[in-house]
């Protein structure tokens, strides 16, 4: 570039910066729109050529304006997208360093925590954080050191739009990869998110946990209760992901705790109390939401069947936990047909696998009901009367004792 052209370019940039410094919100918004239209997708050398080798001067002004005005949402979408032009440009390492040195990460994380800001602004902030995280391990560590895991997790839990939720989830997953110093912090943050109320967020967190669990290797005991509680979900996609994660945790330290929980949920407390008495007692009414408990019972029976079909070792472990007694109880629960159906299908597996189970179940069901069960366990509950249901709910079957006797004799 000739000297005269250089001078003309520098003069043009100085006029641009002067207009920015003197401009109102309206003027700056127009300038940002023009900047995005002309420079989106450009590389670092192309941006430097556009700004006569002083693009950093505009980035500094842009960053300062964001810090001063982000709490008011002033042109925030345009501001963040403009920063994205710098951070996403090829060979943009110097721009990223400059942005981080003036507290860029903290500003983005603070944006996530502002309830008054638009979801789209938070999505854009998450996008910039993702760009920073993608730059390497030390940048992921910087985000985590700035309490980024907490901020992103809270954003995911509170967000009302799928776009923001998905971006927050993707960032949490990214922070768990190639970040050994903080991967456990991310893992525990994900476990804490299992108690959030958004079904979509729950589904996303379960999916990420299935990816992150092999990275951290050791399963934390705190995952057991919130994970099992998700079997109460009214949303089948959440139940599905919960069951998949439970299945994958069968090779971990929390296996026994999960199996015990699944068996216990087949026989929920107060399940057989008459409905009118529950409603008459306000204290019990506050504590008991019958539908989620029934959904959890059915989902537990389904999960037990899946686990038992995949592993004989787990089948025997379940037998030692008195799973047959509990499945028979669930089969007698006439308040929820799906609990009866799922328990019947799970029980069928054990009956066909173990003669000792068949003998005890035949005795508990009676000849006629047992024959109907063996013919089509899927619809057994349709042929069950109140007396038979009560008999199943009061059964005393204890296969674990028989197994212990067999093991001692052998």
């Amino acid at each position: 570039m000739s000297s005269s052209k250089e001078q003309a370019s520098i003069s043009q940039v100085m006029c641009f910066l002067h207009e920015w410094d003197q401009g109102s919100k309206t003027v700056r918004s127009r300038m940002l729109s023009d900047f995005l239209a002309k420079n989106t997708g450009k590389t670092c050398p192309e941006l430097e050529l556009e700004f006569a080798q002083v693009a950093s001067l505009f980035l500094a002004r842009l960053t300062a304006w964001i810090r001063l005005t982000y709490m008011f949402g002033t042109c925030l979408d345009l501001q963040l997208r403009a920063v994205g032009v710098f951070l996403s440009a090829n060979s943009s390492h110097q721009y990223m360093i400059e942005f981080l040195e003036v507290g860029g990460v903290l500003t983005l994380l603070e944006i996530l925590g502002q309830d008054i800001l638009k979801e789209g602004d938070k999505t854009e902030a998450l996008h910039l954080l993702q760009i920073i995280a993608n730059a390497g391990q030390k940048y992921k560590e910087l985000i985590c050191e700035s309490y980024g895991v907490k901020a992103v997790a809270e954003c995911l839990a509170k967000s009302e739009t799928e776009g923001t939720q998905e971006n927050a989830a993707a960032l949490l997953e990214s922070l768990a990869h190639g970040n050994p110093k903080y991967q456990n912090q991310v893992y525990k943050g994900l476990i804490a998110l299992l108690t959030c109320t958004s079904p979509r967020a729950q589904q996303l967190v379960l999916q990420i946990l299935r990816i992150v669990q092999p990275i951290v290797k050791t399963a934390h005991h705190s995952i057991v209760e919130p994970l099992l509680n998700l079997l109460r979900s009214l949303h089948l996609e959440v139940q599905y992901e919960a069951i998949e994660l439970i299945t994958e945790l069968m090779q971990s330290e929390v296996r026994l705790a999960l199996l015990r929980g699944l068996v216990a949920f087949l026989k929920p407390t107060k399940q057989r109390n008459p409905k009118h008495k529950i409603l008459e007692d306000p204290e019990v009414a506050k504590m008991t939401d019958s539908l989620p408990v029934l959904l959890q019972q059915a989902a537990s029976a389904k999960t037990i069947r899946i686990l038992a079909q995949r592993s004989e070792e787990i089948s025997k472990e379940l037998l030692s936990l008195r799973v047959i007694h509990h499945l028979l109880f669930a089969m007698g629960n006439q308040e929820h047909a799906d609990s009866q159906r799922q328990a019947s299908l799970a029980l069928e597996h054990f009956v066909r696998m173990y003669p000792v189970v068949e003998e005890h179940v035949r005795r508990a069901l009676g000849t006629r009901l047992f024959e109907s069960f063996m013919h089509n366990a899927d619809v057994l509950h349709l042929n069950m009367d109140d007396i038979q249901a009560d008999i199943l709910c009061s059964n005393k079957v204890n296969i674990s004792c028989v197994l212990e006797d067999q093991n001692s004799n052998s």
Side-chain angles (χ1 to χ4, degrees):
M1 185 183 291
S2 65
S3 179
S4 61
K5 286 185 177 180
E6 286 178 358
Q7 288 298 323
S9 179
I10 292 172
S11 176
Q12 185 178 0
V13 171
M14 290 301 106
C15 288
F16 175 87
L17 295 177
H18 178 74
E19 183 181 7
W20 176 273
D21 292 340
Q22 302 299 317
S24 64
K25 181 181 77 171
T26 303
V27 170
R28 290 185 177 185
S29 296
R30 173 185 54 76
M31 295 176 72
L32 286 177
S33 295
D34 292 343
F35 171 80
L36 289 167
K38 290 177 62 177
N39 298 291
T40 298
K42 284 188 175 181
T43 64
C44 180
E46 289 171 335
L47 287 171
E48 287 301 316
L49 184 62
E50 178 72 23
F51 281 87
Q53 310 305 313
V54 291
S56 294
L57 294 179
F58 179 52
L59 176 59
R61 284 166 166 78
L62 179 57
T63 306
W65 193 34
I66 293 175
R67 286 196 61 80
L68 289 170
T69 63
Y70 75 86
M71 287 186 290
F72 310 107
T74 304
C75 311
L76 189 54
D77 177 61
L78 288 172
Q79 292 172 328
L80 294 174
R81 285 166 55 201
V83 170
V85 170
F86 287 99
L87 298 188
S88 60
N90 289 338
S91 308
S92 63
H93 182 71
Q94 184 57 39
Y95 295 148
M96 187 168 295
I97 294 297
E98 292 169 2
F99 181 70
L100 299 181
E101 284 180 345
V102 295
V105 165
L106 284 172
T107 301
L108 295 174
L109 294 174
E110 287 166 6
I111 288 171
L112 299 183
Q114 300 298 312
D115 294 334
I116 62 172
L117 296 181
K118 298 175 183 176
E119 289 284 310
D121 295 336
K122 295 180 182 181
T123 301
E124 196 60 44
L126 288 165
H127 174 64
L128 296 182
L129 286 166
Q130 184 70 72
I131 293 173
I132 295 168
N134 290 343
Q137 180 179 334
K138 68 178 182 179
Y139 297 99
K140 293 179 181 180
E141 290 180 353
L142 174 62
I143 293 172
C144 294
E145 287 165 2
S146 305
Y147 302 99
V149 173
K150 183 175 183 291
V152 177
E154 288 180 352
C155 178
L156 174 56
K158 295 178 181 179
S159 175
E160 298 176 355
T161 63
E162 286 197 12
T164 305
Q165 290 175 328
E166 289 168 1
N167 277 273
L171 180 55
L172 287 172
E173 181 185 339
S174 175
L175 292 174
H177 287 279
N179 190 14
K181 186 176 180 180
Y182 290 100
Q183 64 188 23
N184 276 305
Q185 183 185 105
V186 177
Y187 175 60
K188 290 178 182 178
L190 290 167
I191 292 175
L193 278 172
L194 291 175
T195 60
C196 73
T197 56
S198 165
R200 179 57 177 156
Q202 292 170 344
Q203 182 187 16
L204 289 167
V205 170
L206 288 165
Q207 290 171 345
I208 300 169
L209 276 169
R210 292 175 59 194
I211 297 169
V212 173
Q213 186 62 63
I215 297 174
V216 298
K217 296 178 181 177
T218 302
H220 198 273
H221 64 87
S222 63
I223 198 173
V224 174
E225 184 178 352
L227 176 56
L228 289 174
N229 282 338
L230 287 180
L231 296 178
R232 299 184 175 201
S233 176
L234 297 169
H235 300 267
L236 293 178
E237 66 275 13
V238 175
Q239 279 197 18
Y240 170 81
E241 295 294 345
I243 291 172
E244 288 297 305
L245 180 54
I246 290 170
T247 301
E248 292 170 13
L249 286 170
M250 284 300 103
Q251 304 306 317
S252 74
E253 300 80 359
V254 298
R255 165 172 159 170
L256 182 57
L258 287 170
L259 292 178
R260 282 176 173 162
L262 289 170
V263 172
F265 289 139
L266 294 174
K267 194 175 179 181
T269 57
K270 299 184 176 72
Q271 175 61 27
R272 293 296 294 174
N273 287 358
K275 288 184 177 179
H276 68 278
K277 289 186 179 179
I278 293 177
L279 293 174
E280 286 173 2
D281 187 343
E283 291 303 314
V284 176
K286 288 179 183 177
M287 297 172 60
T288 306
D289 188 351
S290 61
L291 181 57
V293 170
L294 296 173
L295 290 171
Q296 189 176 43
Q297 184 186 46
S300 296
K302 179 181 178 180
T303 308
I304 284 169
R305 172 171 56 84
I306 292 170
L307 296 176
Q309 288 174 341
R310 293 184 182 180
S311 168
E312 185 176 358
E313 182 183 353
I314 291 176
S315 288
K316 291 180 178 179
E317 201 164 344
L318 286 164
L319 288 175
S320 71
L321 296 172
R322 295 195 68 193
V323 72
I324 303 305
H325 164 75
H326 288 76
L327 286 172
L328 286 167
F329 179 93
M331 283 173 62
N333 176 19
Q334 292 187 300
E335 293 180 27
H336 197 230
D338 195 44
S339 287
Q340 292 181 291
R341 176 176 172 272
Q342 295 294 348
S344 294
L345 292 172
L347 185 63
E348 181 185 25
H349 166 76
F350 289 99
V351 167
R352 296 189 185 280
M353 282 287 294
Y354 303 100
V356 65
V357 174
E358 179 183 357
E359 176 187 343
H360 281 75
V361 171
R362 182 191 297 272
R363 198 179 306 155
L365 292 179
T367 303
R368 182 181 299 178
L369 194 60
F370 181 78
E371 289 176 356
S372 177
F373 166 72
M374 295 301 289
H375 175 68
N376 193 347
D378 200 23
V379 297
L380 177 69
H381 59 284
L382 300 178
N383 303 317
M384 190 181 301
D385 58 35
D386 291 347
I387 295 175
Q388 291 168 328
D390 286 338
I391 290 172
L392 292 179
C393 287
S394 58
N395 83 89
K396 305 296 182 185
V397 172
N398 190 353
I399 302 294
S400 60
C401 294
V402 178
L403 291 175
E404 289 171 3
D405 291 341
Q406 288 180 346
N407 291 335
S408 61
N409 292 334
S410 61

